[in-house]
Amino acid sequence: MAEEKNRGARSQTLDRALDALELLADGHRRTSQELADELGLHRSIVYRMLRTFEDHGFVARVADGRYTVGLGVAALADAGIVGAESRIGDVLEELANASGATALLSVPQKDHAVVLAAARPSRSTAAVAIRRSTRLPLDRGAPGLAILALEAPRPYEPDEAVLARTTGYVHSKGAPFPGFDAVARPVRLEDGQSASISVVFPNAAVGLGEALPPLRHAVARIEHPDDLWTV
């Protein structure tokens, strides 16, 4: 019984601190007071959190006194895919050029799918540029819904996630990028973490039949890196 209670234990202080870090991850710089207002906390509490994060390089204070995400966060992210980053980059470049669309690898973070890596096709001028660390809704749009498809079914989940457990992919139009289609497949990284790999392209620029084979090949390369695969 005690073990079960410990499994459910959480640090409220750490949880609040990570909430602050996740807010800054949207790319908007904030003062400690602005963060405190958004978090519903006293400014002194948030200020101590920020100073601690600053000491570890997880946040940085710019010239106007506002805070932004620091380079220490990028270092942690790189450590999470050590030994695989180069291969993932190769897979995404191959996928982008084979499909003629922007290719993404996204991972879950609370209620968002965060872009871990992206690649644009070398010969397409209409491809959308999506930067690393872009945060997308987990329950809206193909990249996030494909990740949900890897999880156990839960009440009131989107129909697209339910369907993806059968079809193996999600196709969304206009979400999460207005004017663009997205096709995504769920993928398990080598360490077992959930992720999705997707292609994003202007509406109707790429057919579903054109997008799925290179996506399937990309998933195979990531999930079975020691095997030889052909499209």
Side-chain angles (χ1 to χ4, degrees):
M1 184 68 69
E3 184 178 352
E4 291 182 2
K5 289 182 178 179
N6 288 335
R7 286 175 183 169
R10 297 291 186 274
S11 168
Q12 187 179 47
T13 300
L14 182 57
D15 197 50
R16 289 171 172 173
L18 292 175
D19 284 342
L21 196 59
E22 288 175 1
L23 279 176
L24 289 175
D26 66 6
H28 297 294
R29 299 170 179 175
R30 295 170 172 85
T31 65
S32 57
Q33 184 61 64
E34 288 170 337
L35 270 174
D37 291 342
E38 290 187 62
L39 293 168
L41 299 173
H42 194 278
R43 179 179 176 274
S44 63
I45 296 174
V46 174
Y47 181 71
R48 288 195 296 271
M49 292 176 181
L50 291 171
R51 288 301 304 271
T52 302
F53 278 140
E54 191 175 11
D55 289 344
H56 290 271
F58 296 158
V59 303
R61 186 163 38 179
V62 295
D64 62 4
R66 292 182 296 171
Y67 291 87
T68 186
V69 171
L71 295 178
V73 173
L76 282 181
D78 288 342
I81 55 172
V82 63
E85 185 173 20
S86 176
R87 179 172 53 79
I88 287 174
D90 290 343
V91 170
L92 291 180
E93 286 185 16
E94 179 183 288
L95 173 59
N97 288 320
S99 63
T102 299
L104 309 176
L105 180 76
S106 306
V107 295
Q109 185 181 72
K110 282 197 171 180
D111 56 353
H112 287 89
V114 180
V115 176
L116 191 64
R120 297 175 68 185
S122 57
R123 297 184 180 180
S124 176
T125 58
V128 60
I130 302 172
R131 66 179 178 84
R132 181 178 177 179
S133 78
T134 297
R135 298 166 67 83
L136 311 170
L138 198 60
D139 61 353
R140 186 168 58 86
L145 290 166
I147 293 174
L148 285 180
L150 285 171
E151 299 181 357
R154 55 187 180 183
Y156 312 114
E157 66 181 355
D159 292 339
E160 296 91 339
V162 177
L163 182 61
R165 295 192 183 100
T166 301
T167 63
Y169 71 90
V170 180
H171 181 197
S172 60
K173 297 176 178 289
F177 307 102
F180 288 83
D181 281 23
V183 182
R185 295 184 70 99
V187 60
R188 290 279 184 194
L189 302 182
E190 286 183 77
D191 58 6
Q193 292 187 70
S194 302
S196 71
I197 190 164
S198 53
V199 288
V200 180
F201 47 88
N203 290 155
V206 177
L208 189 59
E210 299 172 271
L212 286 177
L215 262 176
R216 186 163 48 246
H217 178 62
V219 169
R221 287 193 61 193
I222 291 175
E223 292 189 334
H224 307 282
D226 296 328
D227 295 338
L228 295 177
W229 294 90
T230 57
V231 177

